[in-house]
Amino acid sequence: MVDEETKAISIELREKEGLENNGFVQSEDTDEKEAENASQENLPKLCRLRIEPEAMQELSVQPYAGMPKEVLLQFSTQARYRITREILFWLIIASSLVLVAATVAIIAMSPKCLGWWQAGPIYQIYPRSYKDTNKDGNGDLKGIQDKLDHIQYLNVKTIWITSLYKSALKDIGYGIEDFEDVDPMFGTMKDFEDLVAAIHDKGLKVIMDLIPNHTGDKHKWFQLSRNRTGNYTDYYIWHDCAHISGSTTPPNNWVSVFGDSSWQYDDVRKQCYFHQFGKEQPDLNFRNPNVQEEIHDVIKFWLGKGIDGFSINDVKFLLEATHLRDEPQVNKSQNPDSISAYSELYHDYTTTQVGMHDIVRSFRHTMDKFSSEPGRYRFMGTGVNDNESIEGTMMYYGTSFIQEADFPFNLLLMNITEVSGSSIFEMVAAWMKNMPQGKWSNWAHT
């Protein structure tokens, strides 16, 4: 009887026994008998063997290449294979994380590719003083086009064309009469379009001046405003003032950049209008949303003509305080009635007012809409045109989160009165020390 703790396993064994060779066969009958006996003897014989479980384990199948799934699963639960898989899994995860971290670090630390406005010098041209092609004594747009090979030879990458708008040409053309037309002295709009196309054919870029702070007094907006026509009534800064026998008493002591009162009496409207510069250049009222929209339309107009950016001038003058209080005197003992020079007052209420940077950023936003195409980034520089602190100038770069100008034009080199190695070093060091991280410096000189 088989023990209950062991199992009997039947194994078929074939036993093959040899046949005895008796030499030559004597008769066929004997051969037949012997062959019959031999065939019976060669039949397989069955026998029973008893194999203990320990011995059966030694007969178990070992891993081999190409084993079926059923056999493979027998080894999946063994500890040595589970640990190996876990080690390999976590090694792969760790390697992936290291690769991701290294990629992010490389991207963050790698310098950005230079934009076209960073790749070379910007060459400023005042059209009237450039080449004259029609022999009228004034330079023109065709003259600039004729000199493109020379400009390219100078390794210039960007051409900056100063004010070419239709104007009375007072203050070198900054008293604009039409923001969307070229002054006939310089040519036609077709001449301008041909010039832009020729500049781009040379692989160069072109920017132009934008003067949003004021217009000329012949501009249609001013003519409509002085007659109180519709929405144009408040396009400029008007205020009541006393005007008796040709003598005007201004609302306050504000002085224009060019000297004398910044208020001018208008016989048509019977009020005074404000002007930061010449009396022929009335300031626009940028607290009026319609005025801001008009300037945005001007930006879109010229970008649509194919220009690559703007130098926006005199931006610190865009807003004035609404309370109209007198500005503080530099010399407290000076007779207030004798003040006539711009340098005799601190211009706390007529420059860099709260909200001014918001307006400049809105210009940036409009220009960014035209920068979506590869290689068509639209540059924006700002002309500060003042001697305020360098910290204030740096604000025109914007912040890390809100972009403003690509850079404010740096005129410090042009303002050095005593040129020396130490003065230039101090000026350069001051700019670089205060410039926000990641921004681009610039140096204007003549």
Side-chain angles (χ1 to χ4, degrees), residues 124-129 138 160-177 183 185-186 209-211 214 258 277-278 280-281 313-314 385:
Q124 186 186 48
I125 296 176
Y126 176 47
R128 192 175 184 181
S129 65
N138 298 294
W160 170 9
I161 303 177
T162 60
S163 182
L164 49 73
Y165 305 96
K166 184 178 180 181
S167 71
L169 294 178
K170 294 184 177 180
D171 190 17
I172 63 172
Y174 282 6
I176 298 171
E177 297 177 1
D183 194 282
M185 176 184 293
F186 304 132
D209 275 344
L210 176 66
I211 306 96
H214 51 267
F258 296 156
F277 296 91
E280 301 87 3
Q281 299 166 303
N313 293 347
D314 303 324
N385 190 29

Side-chain angles (χ1 to χ4, degrees), residues 179-180 210-213 221 235 284 286 288-304 307 310 312 318 355-370 380:
F179 279 107
E180 297 182 357
L210 176 66
I211 306 96
N213 178 71
W221 298 345
Y235 263 42
L284 286 165
F286 266 87
N288 184 336
N290 293 328
V291 171
Q292 294 190 34
E293 189 61 32
E294 293 276 14
I295 299 302
H296 283 279
D297 289 341
V298 171
I299 293 174
K300 296 174 184 177
F301 175 82
W302 290 104
L303 292 178
I307 70 165
F310 286 103
I312 304 181
L318 291 178
M356 179 272 293
H357 283 283
D358 293 331
I359 295 173
V360 179
R361 291 174 192 136
S362 71
F363 296 157
R364 170 82 269 172
H365 179 70
T366 296
M367 296 178 67
D368 284 343
K369 295 178 181 178
F370 287 79
M380 190 181 92

Side-chain angles (χ1 to χ4, degrees), residues 4 31 41 85 110 161 174 178 185 272 295-296 304 386 392:
E4 294 181 358
D31 292 339
E41 291 175 355
R85 291 198 308 272
S110 298
I161 303 177
Y174 282 6
D178 190 343
M185 176 184 293
C272 284
I295 299 302
H296 283 279
D386 61 8

Side-chain angles (χ1 to χ4, degrees), residues 203-400:
L204 307 178
K205 301 292 185 180
V206 56
I207 66 174
M208 60 186 292
D209 275 344
L210 176 66
I211 306 96
N213 178 71
H214 51 267
T215 69
D217 57 2
K218 298 297 190 292
H219 197 289
K220 65 178 181 180
W221 298 345
F222 185 76
Q223 295 302 316
L224 292 170
S225 184
R226 72 193 307 203
N227 286 285
R228 302 177 187 268
T229 303
N231 292 334
Y232 294 98
T233 300
D234 296 324
Y235 263 42
Y236 297 83
I237 301 170
W238 297 94
H239 202 275
D240 293 332
C241 57
H243 184 75
I244 302 174
S245 301
S247 177
T248 302
T249 302
N252 54 32
N253 72 340
W254 295 356
V255 176
S256 78
V257 173
F258 296 156
D260 297 325
S261 176
S262 57
W263 295 96
Q264 180 65 30
Y265 183 78
D266 181 64
D267 288 328
V268 176
R269 181 151 169 162
K270 307 302 182 185
Q271 283 185 311
C272 284
Y273 63 85
F274 178 71
H275 58 91
Q276 293 265 28
F277 296 91
K279 65 180 181 181
E280 301 87 3
Q281 299 166 303
D283 272 39
L284 286 165
N285 177 17
F286 266 87
R287 298 190 186 278
N288 184 336
N290 293 328
V291 171
Q292 294 190 34
E293 189 61 32
E294 293 276 14
I295 299 302
H296 283 279
D297 289 341
V298 171
I299 293 174
K300 296 174 184 177
F301 175 82
W302 290 104
L303 292 178
K305 291 292 182 181
I307 70 165
D308 301 292
F310 286 103
S311 166
I312 304 181
N313 293 347
D314 303 324
V315 290
K316 75 168 187 174
F317 299 107
L318 291 178
L319 293 177
E320 299 78 25
T322 57
H323 52 63
L324 300 183
R325 290 198 291 266
D326 284 351
E327 291 190 313
Q329 298 177 199
V330 174
N331 182 1
K332 301 295 184 182
S333 62
Q334 183 179 359
N335 182 357
D337 295 333
S338 68
I339 292 176
S340 61
Y342 191 73
S343 60
E344 293 175 338
L345 295 175
Y346 293 111
H347 303 285
D348 297 340
Y349 307 139
T350 54
T351 61
T352 320
Q353 298 298 292
V354 175
M356 179 272 293
H357 283 283
D358 293 331
I359 295 173
V360 179
R361 291 174 192 136
S362 71
F363 296 157
R364 170 82 269 172
H365 179 70
T366 296
M367 296 178 67
D368 284 343
K369 295 178 181 178
F370 287 79
S371 300
S372 58
E373 299 179 13
R376 291 309 309 272
Y377 179 80
R378 306 307 175 98
F379 166 83
M380 190 181 92
T382 54
V384 181
N385 190 29
D386 61 8
N387 295 317
E388 66 179 298
S389 66
I390 195 168
E391 292 82 2
T393 301
M394 294 300 158
M395 293 181 66
Y396 291 93
Y397 277 111
T399 67
S400 301

